[in-house]
């Protein structure tokens, strides 16, 4: 199998705070890796390093055969990586002055030099794919939070990424809207999309993940298939975390 992400001994600091500690992690093509852990454990920082939103200080990081050097000098490499890696954030980050369709068309036209005709067809196909084809001509403010997040997913897919990163994509949503976003992510997983997902949705992690990673204070302390991690965790920190989150 092709390794899309390779981290070896990766360390990340914010000032004196050691946020990620000697991270060793690989993600295979077609694999769904779900990252869990308490708030502030380093989960989001980890995936933000993958597309260069955060720079790391030491170790190595390769994304789809592109090596990101520590600290600086990655402009060209980052441009290549961001053509192949889509990311969906907690906040939707849609352009409020553009229609839903135009939000999606923008990246293919600007980054991949797609024609307006091709970008339009891509946007319409992806909006159908995420279940909101009838919302194409509305503006983001006219949509629910769940619909806006599905637009954000469609926008990321418009770049035809080899890897999708999700940073707690449902945390800003009302409870009744969470399911519709998770359903889209489930379909992506079934279609074989390589995904790294930071989430607090344990049911989703158990159902969809090929591998679950538990991070505690910047370290990977447990990883394995969902059944092993959720039903028979080996590390006492994992046991304590799951006993708290699964009790609610």
């Amino acid at each position: 199998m092709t390794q899309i992400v390779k981290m070896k001994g990766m360390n990340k600091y914010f000032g004196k705070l050691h946020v990620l500690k000697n991270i060793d992690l690989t993600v295979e093509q077609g694999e769904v890796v779900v990252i869990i852990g308490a708030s502030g454990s380093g989960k989001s920082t980890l995936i933000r390093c993958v597309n260069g939103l955060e720079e790391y200080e030491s170790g190595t990081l390769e994304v789809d055969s592109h090596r990101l050097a520590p600290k600086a000098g990655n402009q060209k490499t980052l441009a290549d990586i961001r053509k192949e890696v889509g990311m969906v954030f907690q906040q939707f980050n849609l352009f409020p002055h553009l229609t839903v369709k135009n939000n999606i068309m923008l990246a293919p036209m600007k980054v991949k030099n797609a024609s307006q005709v091709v970008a339009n067809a891509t946007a319409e196909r992806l909006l159908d794919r995420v279940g909101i084809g009838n919302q194409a001509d509305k503006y983001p403010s006219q949509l629910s939070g769940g619909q806006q997040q599905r637009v954000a997913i469609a926008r990321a897919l418009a770049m035809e990424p080899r890897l999708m990163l999700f940073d707690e994509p449902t945390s800003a949503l009302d409870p009744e809207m969470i399911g519709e976003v998770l359903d889209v992510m489930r379909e992506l997983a079934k279609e074989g999309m390589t995904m790294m997902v930071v989430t607090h949705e344990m049911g989703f992690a158990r159902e969809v993940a090929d591998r679950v990673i538990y991070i505690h204070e910047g370290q990977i302390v447990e990883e394995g298939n969902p059944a092993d991690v959720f039903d028979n965790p080996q590390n006492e920190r994992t046991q304590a975390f799951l006993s708290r989150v699964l009790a609610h």
Side-chain angles (χ1 to χ4, degrees), residues 12 14 17-21 23 35-46 168 198-200 213-221 237 241 244:
K12 167 67 183 173
F14 288 126
L17 182 63
H18 197 174
V19 182
L20 296 175
K21 304 169 183 175
I23 298 293
I35 304 164
I36 63 173
S39 296
S41 60
K43 311 182 299 297
S44 293
T45 302
L46 177 67
E168 299 190 26
V198 171
T199 186
H200 293 292
I213 308 289
Y214 173 65
I215 292 185
H216 177 76
E217 294 182 353
Q219 293 180 295
I220 295 175
V221 299
R237 293 189 180 105
F241 171 77
R244 290 196 305 272

Side-chain angles (χ1 to χ4, degrees), residues 130-200:
V130 300
I132 50 173
N134 59 341
Q135 307 295 326
D137 295 322
K138 290 185 178 179
Y139 289 87
S141 62
Q142 297 174 291
L143 304 184
S144 70
Q147 289 172 327
Q148 290 186 61
Q149 192 63 294
R150 284 188 277 170
V151 175
I153 293 172
R155 180 179 58 183
L157 292 173
M159 292 296 291
E160 300 180 332
R162 287 170 52 79
L163 168 66
M164 284 284 285
L165 307 175
F166 293 88
D167 184 8
E168 299 190 26
T170 60
S171 65
L173 300 178
D174 292 333
E176 64 270 20
M177 297 176 184
I178 290 173
E180 61 192 53
V181 173
L182 294 180
D183 284 345
V184 172
M185 295 170 66
R186 288 186 183 96
E187 287 302 313
L188 290 177
K190 288 178 184 176
E191 293 167 9
M193 175 64 73
T194 310
M195 297 162 61
M196 295 179 72
V197 183
V198 171
T199 186
H200 293 292

Side-chain angles (χ1 to χ4, degrees), residues 30-102:
E31 187 177 23
V32 178
V33 174
V34 175
I35 304 164
I36 63 173
S39 296
S41 60
K43 311 182 299 297
S44 293
T45 302
L46 177 67
I47 65 166
R48 286 171 66 87
C49 286
V50 173
N51 70 346
L53 290 173
E54 299 288 354
E55 296 176 341
Y56 68 103
E57 274 69 39
S58 63
T60 60
L61 170 59
E62 287 187 24
V63 183
D64 204 14
S65 300
H66 301 293
R67 176 164 289 201
L68 273 170
K71 295 186 178 177
N74 288 301
Q75 283 78 7
K76 184 180 184 305
T77 304
L78 280 174
D80 291 336
I81 286 174
R82 288 172 180 165
K83 291 177 182 177
E84 301 170 3
V85 178
M87 187 159 184
V88 178
F89 301 87
Q90 297 177 33
Q91 303 300 326
F92 320 125
N93 298 325
L94 301 175
F95 292 108
H97 64 289
L98 296 179
T99 64
V100 163
K101 184 191 291 186
N102 286 337

